[in-house]
């Protein structure tokens, strides 16, 4: 249970037994406690550090070891003050680890409950000896570790298809302090990187320019700036030609001595690729089941690639059929429109390369064109059982260029149709034909590309319909 829930629970119980005025006062008290609980934790400065150029900055608050690290710019007039309820403070210092059996005491000036030391040195830890719950403070002269960058370039051995990495000439010396256990720790510097890139919007299918301005706390020449390289460090790919600027560190900015370096024109190498498939047309209908992953021929499909042009400069589509290693089609463009007329399984691949050919992105999609089915009935009974086998209609799927004819035995054409979903209702010139055998001729093209002709007899049955109406008794 949360602390706020506990307050509400017991507060509700107490209020039952209070009069109106007491309940009001108690409610105000609970509100004050709740407000205190939800306030963010404030950083407490146990020691006050002054002096040097500008205002000293709290660079690290190591709560596990109860030590705070301050950076000052120059040691002129640097002093540390400490205030508690006691009127007598004994100050100590250490270089790498405090010796509590033989501490190194240093003089201080006492003013009531506040004492101050003035003979402060860089690279030392200080503390007031007040028993086991001592708090510690470490002083670093930032002027000795000032970040100074003189040149910036892309590291030549880094694969720019996945991000960027820097090389150059800079001073980035580690700022080390020692915890009370004697463990060396490093103060993290914070740098700032800025450049322009492109961001993909799936809803509009477009790339839009965006300025990137992000900070990081690792060595600028030992960091790979890639997308989602870790939960803390995630830099978008540089997808367009841009200026890249490295600035730092932010301690230098605090003291007014910030340095920066630029790559005035970075020629982007990385590619970001998105693609989609749009079925422009596929034969619909058919009265034979088609699997969900299958399309009926002819299927007209548009394949579209979206990439960060002009960095992405060469688009190559290939269409492979049934695992054949040789492509049936090779096409160079961002968009491919293709009509699939033949049955089989197809794999459509796309390769996109950058201007130098050094970076490559790939995409693939599978398409299945169902085989042709053509089944022709040999009998039907028009006009006798409405809705039941009263149309001469083929069963089909993936049929192209369909034509059909019905003839009598004398060779007279009784019916002609070009849509396989339609059929003959058994009539000629508006009247049902007599029962007997008739002749059909059907021509069509299958998804194997071959033209086929089917012909044969169809029997017309003319059984008399049963009269089911109820007649009155005479």
């Amino acid at each position: 249970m949360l602390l706020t829930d506990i307050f509400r629970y017991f507060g509700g119980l107490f209020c039952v037994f209070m009069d109106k005025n007491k309940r009001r006062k108690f409610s105000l008290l609970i509100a004050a406690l709740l407000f205190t609980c939800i306030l963010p934790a404030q950083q407490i400065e146990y020691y006050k550090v002054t002096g040097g150029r500008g205002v000293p900055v709290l660079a690290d608050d190591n709560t596990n070891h109860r030590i705070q690290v301050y950076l000052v710019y120059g040691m002129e007039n640097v002093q540390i003050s400490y205030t508690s309820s006691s009127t007598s403070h004994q100050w100590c210092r250490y270089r790498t680890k405090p010796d509590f059996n033989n501490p190194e005491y240093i003089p201080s000036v006492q003013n009531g409950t506040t004492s101050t030391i003035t003979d402060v040195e860089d690279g030392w830890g200080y503390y007031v000896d007040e028993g086991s719950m001592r708090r510690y403070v470490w002083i670093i002269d930032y002027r000795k570790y000032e970040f100074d960058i003189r040149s910036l370039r892309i590291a030549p051995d880094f694969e720019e298809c996945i991000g960027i990495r820097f090389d150059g000439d800079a001073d980035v010396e580690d700022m080390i302090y020692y915890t009370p256990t004697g463990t060396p720790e490093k103060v993290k510097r914070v740098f700032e990187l800025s450049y322009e890139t492109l961001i993909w919007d799936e809803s509009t299918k477009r790339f839009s320019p965006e300025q990137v301005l992000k900070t990081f706390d690792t060595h600028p020449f030992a960091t790979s700036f890639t997308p989602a390289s870790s939960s803390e460090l995630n830099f978008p790919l540089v997808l367009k030609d841009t200026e890249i600027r490295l600035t730092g560190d932010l301690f230098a900015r605090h003291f007014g001595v910030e340095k920066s370096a630029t790559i005035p024109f970075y020629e982007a190498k990385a590619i970001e690729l998105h693609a989609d498939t749009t079925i422009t047309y596929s034969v619909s209908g058919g009265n034979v089941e088609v699997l969900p992953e299958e399309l009926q021929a002819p299927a007209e499909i548009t394949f579209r690639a979206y990439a960060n042009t002009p960095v992405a400069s060469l688009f190559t589509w290939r269409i492979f059929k049934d695992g054949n290693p040789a492509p049936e089609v090779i096409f160079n463009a961002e968009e491919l429109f293709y009509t699939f007329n033949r049955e089989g399984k197809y794999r459509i691949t796309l390769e996109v390369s950058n201007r130098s050919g050094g970076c490559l992105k790939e995409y693939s999609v599978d398409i299945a064109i169902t085989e042709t089915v053509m089944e022709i009935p040999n009998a039907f009974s028009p006009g006798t059982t409405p809705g039941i086998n009263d149309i001469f209609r083929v069963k089909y799927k993936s049929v192209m260029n369909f034509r059909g004819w019905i003839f009598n035995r004398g060779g007279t054409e009784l019916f002609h149709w070009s849509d396989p979903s339609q059929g003959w209702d058994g009539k000629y010139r508006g009247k049902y034909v007599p029962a007997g055998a008739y002749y059909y001729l059907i021509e069509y093209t299958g998804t194997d590309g071959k033209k086929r002709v089917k012909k044969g007899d169809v029997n017309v049955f003319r059984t008399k319909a049963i009269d089911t109406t109820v007649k009155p008794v005479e």
Side-chain angles (χ1 to χ4, degrees), residues 114-134:
T114 300
S115 64
T116 303
I117 57 173
T118 57
D119 195 14
V120 179
E121 295 185 51
D122 165 58
W124 284 82
Y126 297 87
Y127 63 96
V128 172
D129 195 351
E130 285 192 324
S132 60
M133 293 303 294
R134 302 177 186 90

Side-chain angles (χ1 to χ4, degrees), residues 21-93:
N21 290 332
K22 289 182 179 179
R23 281 200 301 270
R24 182 175 179 277
K25 292 179 180 179
F26 186 76
S27 298
L28 291 175
L29 174 61
I30 292 297
L33 289 172
L34 288 173
F35 181 73
T36 303
C37 290
I38 63 175
L39 280 177
Q42 299 296 314
Q43 199 171 53
I44 300 173
E45 296 184 352
Y46 296 101
Y47 294 92
K48 183 177 181 181
V49 180
T50 59
R53 193 178 99 182
V55 179
V57 58
L58 179 58
D60 194 358
D61 188 4
N62 191 329
T63 56
N64 290 335
H65 293 282
R66 303 194 305 278
I67 182 172
Q68 294 180 327
V69 181
Y70 280 85
L71 301 187
V72 296
Y73 195 80
M75 298 305 298
E76 296 81 10
N77 302 318
V78 173
Q79 58 184 23
I80 309 174
S81 299
Y82 180 77
T83 301
S84 76
S85 58
S86 171
T87 57
S88 178
H89 303 152
Q90 182 62 63
W91 282 81
C92 305
R93 71 174 187 173

Side-chain angles (χ1 to χ4, degrees), residues 326-429:
E328 293 197 342
V329 173
I330 301 178
F331 190 74
N332 296 115
E334 294 177 51
E335 185 176 276
L336 168 63
F337 176 80
Y338 190 75
T339 301
F340 293 85
N341 288 318
R342 298 173 59 192
E343 66 178 88
K345 294 181 179 179
Y346 296 83
R347 168 152 290 192
I348 298 86
T349 66
L350 168 65
E351 289 183 352
V352 182
S353 60
N354 64 4
R355 292 168 289 198
S356 66
C359 295
L360 183 72
K361 285 287 186 178
E362 296 179 329
Y363 165 83
S364 67
V365 63
D366 293 325
I367 299 294
I369 303 298
T370 184
E371 64 182 3
T372 296
V373 172
M374 175 61 69
E375 298 177 1
I376 303 173
N378 59 10
F380 74 118
S381 54
T384 57
T385 54
I388 302 175
N389 196 30
D390 57 350
I391 300 292
F392 175 75
R393 183 182 288 117
V394 300
K395 288 185 176 182
Y396 74 98
K397 67 177 180 179
S398 285
V399 170
M400 296 176 288
N401 304 321
F402 177 90
R403 292 189 300 171
W405 296 266
I406 303 293
F407 301 94
N408 63 16
R409 287 296 179 181
T412 301
E413 180 182 319
L414 305 181
F415 182 72
H416 169 257
W417 75 114
S418 58
D419 182 353
S421 67
Q422 303 300 313
W424 182 37
D425 60 2
K427 292 181 180 180
Y428 177 63
R429 294 181 177 176

